[in-house]
Amino acid sequence: MDNFAFIIHPIEVSDVSRKFKLMKHLPEGAVEKIMKNIPPVKVSHITGVKSPYNEIEGWFVGCPLTTRQMMNLPEDFVLKKIIQAGKLAEKLGARIVGLGAFTSVVGDAGVTIAQNLNIAVTTGNSYTVATALEGAKKAAQIMGHDIKNSEVVIVGATGSIGKVCAQMLAKECKYMTLVGRQIKKLEDIAEKILREMGLSVRITSDIHSALKRADVIITVTSSVDSVIDADDLKPGAVVCDVARPRDVSKEVAEKRNDVLIIEGGVVEVPGDVDFHFNFGFPPKTSYACMAETMMLALEGRYENFTLGRELTVKQVEEISAIAKKHGFKLAGFRSFERAVTQSEIEAVKKNARAKLSVSMAKDSEYKAKPYAVTT
């Protein structure tokens, strides 16, 4: 049977405590110290992934490092740990392994890991971008924005993912602003979009002013810190944060309950899939990066598909076509590592309407106020 493995890791220490109850009595530092010294483990056997063309099995392999550890420990140490997880996938018999969450971010985005394994590797970023774009467009529709006439802003447009997003969205919208630090690079991308898609886009390095009029935002910078402030956003705006580390902090999300912040889409997996592990998603759904690994196994494409920090429109379109063939599809949104419920979306819409109403009333009051007459 064709197969795959997927490397996962705890996002926070609390994820470890939920799995191993004894850990919740220990300080976070002690838990991370223990994790640093234990080897990768097989988490579960995945069954039931089935399309009209093939059926596969797989395994979750746990890399015992939190996000904070992956960002702060020496890169060589973290890469060695991820490679150990990949070696475990090899021993299980997997023929392709996907890099989940921050295991796809560390170092050179999978290139060194692939060089040290005897099986194919993919970060899943191609399908992550595909579902992020699909999710952003769907979220815009839900929030009442017609993407064709919306003000679309791409933050981090000079990076490989930002550039691909801009090129693909330029086929569908009329008003686009590219934000980046290097004006010359922005000019080159704008010229390419004008030449190939016929759309004239604005460019700027002033992120805050660009965001204030944006209806739909795709943000994908390489900044270590968040780059979007709570005061930057319009009521009812949709923000799709593809960046890792995030461009939008949890604090911004907590302050702005009238803005829909998503990371991309929750993907429905074909077949009667059972992950035998609860990673916080509804049953039979997965992250897009997991889905990319599964669909490559369904295709028997045991090759390095998405690696490194360069991404092309062709890769995104190819993986989208493979997804469609095997029946993978968008099933909802995710935000801050969990699925977004319909009731949460309705609450955001209600809050946005209320804020816009207050804003319009203030504008009306201001316009109605007569000028003072002096004599």
Side-chain angles (χ1 to χ4, degrees):
M1 181 181 282
D2 285 301
N3 63 38
F4 71 98
F6 193 80
I7 299 175
I8 58 176
H9 70 89
I11 301 300
E12 299 170 342
V13 171
S14 59
D15 295 330
V16 183
S17 305
R18 273 199 300 276
K19 180 76 176 171
F20 304 100
K21 303 298 181 190
L22 286 175
M23 296 280 198
K24 70 180 180 182
H25 302 295
L26 298 176
E28 288 194 353
V31 174
E32 288 189 329
K33 192 172 180 181
I34 292 169
M35 293 173 61
K36 190 178 164 185
N37 292 290
I38 60 176
V41 294
K42 184 184 99 173
V43 175
S44 70
H45 181 213
I46 302 165
T47 58
V49 181
K50 186 177 182 181
S51 82
Y53 304 93
N54 200 358
E55 181 173 0
I56 58 173
E57 63 175 347
W59 299 271
F60 277 138
V61 174
C63 181
L65 292 175
T66 63
T67 303
R68 182 168 62 189
Q69 287 177 299
M70 290 203 179
M71 292 176 67
N72 296 331
L73 287 171
E75 187 176 291
D76 287 350
F77 178 86
V78 176
L79 284 174
K80 187 178 176 184
K81 200 80 152 181
I82 299 169
I83 291 166
Q84 285 176 351
K87 290 290 183 189
L88 178 54
E90 282 184 16
K91 284 183 185 174
L92 290 167
R95 298 171 70 185
I96 184 168
V97 63
L99 305 178
F102 274 76
T103 67
S104 68
V105 176
V106 175
D108 49 15
V111 175
T112 299
I113 295 165
Q115 288 169 348
N116 284 274
L117 295 177
N118 297 309
I119 56 177
V121 178
T122 190
T123 62
N125 281 344
S126 296
Y127 197 49
T128 295
V129 169
T131 56
L133 289 174
E134 188 179 354
K137 287 186 281 186
K138 181 73 177 174
Q141 184 185 26
I142 289 172
M143 294 299 291
H145 304 302
D146 177 357
I147 195 75
K148 288 180 184 173
N149 297 307
S150 296
E151 182 67 41
V152 177
V153 173
I154 311 291
V155 181
T158 56
S160 60
I161 293 178
K163 189 165 58 179
V164 167
C165 290
Q167 288 173 284
M168 297 186 78
L169 276 178
K171 297 174 183 173
E172 301 181 47
C173 65
K174 295 178 185 172
Y175 310 106
M176 178 182 284
T177 301
L178 307 181
V179 181
R181 288 180 297 182
Q182 300 181 56
I183 293 298
K184 178 65 177 69
K185 281 191 173 181
L186 289 173
E187 287 174 345
D188 291 345
I189 298 164
E191 187 181 326
K192 183 179 175 65
I193 290 174
L194 179 61
R195 187 173 62 247
E196 295 182 0
M197 288 85 181
L199 180 68
S200 176
V201 302
R202 288 183 287 269
I203 61 171
T204 181
S205 57
D206 184 349
I207 179 173
H208 302 296
S209 65
L211 293 180
K212 288 187 188 304
R213 61 187 180 204
D215 301 305
V216 181
I217 300 156
I218 307 281
T219 184
V220 59
T221 76
S222 56
S223 173
V224 174
D225 302 312
S226 61
V227 298
I228 294 178
D229 296 335
D231 293 338
D232 291 337
L233 303 169
K234 275 171 63 175
V238 171
V239 185
C240 184
D241 189 352
V242 191
R244 288 294 180 278
R246 300 176 199 285
D247 285 342
V248 185
S249 68
K250 256 188 177 176
E251 186 183 1
V252 171
E254 287 163 2
K255 285 181 179 175
R256 293 300 303 269
N257 61 6
D258 58 325
V259 170
L260 184 56
I261 299 172
I262 61 172
E263 296 162 1
V266 176
V267 177
E268 185 179 320
V269 179
D272 192 20
V273 60
D274 191 339
F275 293 106
H276 294 101
F277 177 72
N278 181 5
F279 50 90
F281 272 27
K284 302 181 182 181
T285 63
S286 80
Y287 289 96
C289 50
M290 288 180 191
E292 178 171 313
T293 315
M294 289 183 237
M295 61 182 78
L296 289 171
L298 283 166
E299 279 284 280
R301 295 266 303 258
Y302 297 115
E303 60 189 71
N304 297 332
F305 189 81
T306 314
L307 284 183
R309 305 210 179 276
E310 289 301 319
L311 195 63
T312 65
V313 171
K314 183 182 175 186
Q315 278 177 303
V316 177
E317 289 177 341
E318 184 177 9
I319 205 69
S320 297
I322 293 172
K324 190 174 180 183
K325 171 183 172 182
H326 289 283
F328 291 82
K329 57 187 176 185
L330 198 68
F333 308 117
R334 61 186 172 88
S335 184
F336 296 95
E337 312 296 346
R338 65 177 185 78
V340 181
T341 65
Q342 189 59 40
S343 62
E344 287 171 330
I345 295 171
E346 291 303 322
V348 170
K349 287 173 66 176
K350 184 179 175 184
N351 294 331
R353 282 196 298 268
K355 277 208 174 181
L356 284 169
S357 176
V358 170
S359 177
M360 289 171 68
K362 282 183 178 176
D363 284 350
S364 175
E365 185 181 334
Y366 177 78
K367 286 173 185 172
K369 190 174 181 180
Y371 290 105
V373 178
T374 56
T375 58

